[in-house]
Amino acid sequence: MDFHPSEEQAAAAALAARIYRDLATHERLAAAGTGSDAELWKALTAAGLTSAVEEVGLLGLVLLLEEQGRTTAQVPYAATCAYGILPVAAHGSPEQRARLLPALGSGEAVATGAFPARRAFTATPEGRLTGTAPAVPWLREATHVLVPDRDRALWLVRTDAPGVATRPVETTAPWSAGRLTLTGAPAERLGGPDAHDAVLAAARTAFAGLQAGVCAGSLARAVEYTSTREQFGRPLSTNQGVMLRAADAYMDTEAIRVTAYEAAWRIDEGLPAREHALTAAWWASEAGKRVVHAGQHLHGGLGADLDHPVHRHFLWGRQLDAYLGCGSELLSELGALISEGEASDGGNSEREHSERENEGEDA
């Protein structure tokens, strides 16, 4: 793959970085509590960074989410793009695209997803859903929720529809989450039988990109702190143990980034990418928690301060560690997927061998 972003992708990422740097300050994040920053969300949508996702693709979204993760900006950007704009653009009907994409792109509508569903929702043939998701990120801000049913069909549910009940819940990261309860709620089908796996792979890749940014931001804070904090007359960064810990965190961060880039590029190119998305998600889970722990530890006693900016990276990193599947779950799913592929290839090889033997007998 080509790791160089296109001109449009690079420009969008640079614009996002500037907006986050200007508005996602520590003071504003502290004032936001567990809710989203309405002014920042308005600035992002006004700059066209939500609607631009249709043009820059999943790889472009990963780059944009890296910038959000660096500052842990509290806006429903990842959820709206991963569960709204990209699924509707890829799997929606012409009528759905015309109706939903402008509202999602302008920020008038906010989307999220009840993932992982763990077979929690059932759907009737008429499209009425029943079930409960205990914690859905950004549900308090959402106008639409993408819900998978037991048969892995995807449904769009409006949060103001009859039969929909939401209740605020607190998670590790302040993502304005809520409990979603559906009782015969009306829904509209999105996509066909292959949509679920495609949307889940894209979402895992997108949130891996977000984790790469969270880790990069945590590491940058640790580098700045250890370079200026002195002990025994010299900076902490000159201590070999500190350097090795930071180097390990850097390598882990790069592993998350490169696997997310590869998965996103393959999805954009229409290539098989389920294994690559699972690999990116595994790195985001396993390496991500190592990095945010390192970032906090390298701050020493200051890292234990709940009001310090680095602690926010720790909370986001640990939430993303388990979101959409923790490391062991992802590894198990990846192993099963690889085994299925090997079994399928083995069957083809046996058939080819049998055909060659038959051809020899005929000769």
Side-chain angles (χ1 to χ4, degrees):
M1 65 164 288
D2 183 359
F3 284 94
H4 295 91
S6 67
E7 184 177 344
E8 294 79 8
Q9 291 169 339
L15 177 58
R18 179 170 62 80
I19 293 174
Y20 286 129
R21 185 173 58 249
D22 292 344
L23 295 180
T25 62
H26 175 57
E27 293 73 22
R28 288 176 60 87
L29 289 168
T34 61
S36 64
D37 187 330
E39 183 180 346
L40 176 55
W41 180 239
K42 184 177 180 181
L44 291 170
T45 55
L49 290 176
T50 44
S51 57
V53 174
E54 290 184 70
E55 302 298 326
V56 300
L58 182 56
L59 180 55
L61 176 59
V62 166
L63 295 171
L64 290 164
L65 290 178
E66 275 192 82
E67 300 305 331
Q68 179 184 0
R70 290 180 198 276
T71 58
T72 62
Q74 290 175 204
V75 285
Y77 187 72
T80 293
C81 295
Y83 297 126
I85 293 175
L86 290 182
V88 171
H91 306 287
S93 66
E95 186 277 330
Q96 287 174 319
R97 291 196 294 270
R99 170 167 49 88
L100 295 170
L101 288 177
L104 290 167
S106 68
E108 178 185 351
V110 174
T112 188
F115 288 78
R118 307 190 191 283
R119 299 175 62 83
F121 296 93
T122 58
T124 67
E126 297 77 25
R128 292 193 171 271
L129 270 60
T130 298
T132 300
V136 178
W138 302 110
L139 182 62
R140 294 181 232 168
E141 320 294 336
T143 58
H144 296 76
V145 186
L146 189 63
V147 179
D149 66 17
R150 288 178 179 270
D151 298 320
R152 301 165 75 87
L154 294 181
W155 304 85
L156 268 176
V157 179
R158 288 191 59 93
T159 55
D160 60 357
V164 178
T166 64
R167 179 170 59 83
V169 298
E170 300 300 330
T171 61
T172 305
W175 289 353
S176 194
R179 178 184 179 89
L180 175 68
T181 302
L182 304 180
T183 310
E188 58 177 310
R189 180 73 182 269
L190 183 71
D194 298 331
H196 175 276
D197 288 349
V199 169
L200 182 56
R204 281 171 165 162
T205 303
F207 282 97
L210 183 62
Q211 181 75 302
V214 169
C215 291
S218 175
L219 183 58
R221 292 187 182 278
V223 168
E224 180 182 9
Y225 175 76
T226 57
S227 298
T228 56
R229 176 76 165 88
E230 290 191 358
Q231 191 176 55
F232 304 117
R234 62 178 186 173
L236 286 172
S237 60
T238 61
N239 183 290
Q240 187 178 39
V242 171
M243 287 190 287
L244 291 174
R245 190 76 186 275
D248 286 342
Y250 173 78
M251 294 302 295
D252 274 337
T253 301
E254 288 302 298
I256 300 170
R257 177 181 289 116
V258 73
T259 52
Y261 284 5
E262 182 182 19
W265 176 80
R266 291 184 66 89
I267 290 173
D268 285 342
E269 293 295 315
L271 300 171
R274 282 184 64 194
E275 294 177 14
H276 301 80
L278 282 165
T279 301
W282 182 84
W283 275 104
S285 175
E286 291 294 303
K289 63 185 174 187
R290 288 197 297 265
V291 174
V292 296
H293 272 275
Q296 197 170 35
H297 290 168
L298 289 173
H299 278 77
L302 197 62
D305 183 358
L306 301 185
D307 295 324
H308 194 278
V310 76
H311 191 69
R312 187 176 294 109
H313 290 269
F314 175 78
L315 295 178
W316 277 56
R318 289 314 309 262
Q319 184 70 30
L320 286 165
D321 158 31
Y323 186 56
L324 297 182
C326 67
S328 58
E329 290 178 305
L330 295 165
L331 200 59
S332 175
E333 188 176 342
L334 178 59
L337 188 61
I338 293 173
S339 296
E340 290 174 7
E342 289 178 348
S344 176
D345 292 342
N348 290 335
S349 298
E350 288 177 6
R351 283 193 296 272
E352 292 171 0
H353 179 68
S354 176
E355 289 172 359
R356 285 195 296 270
E357 285 186 339
N358 291 335
E359 290 173 357
E361 290 176 359
D362 292 340

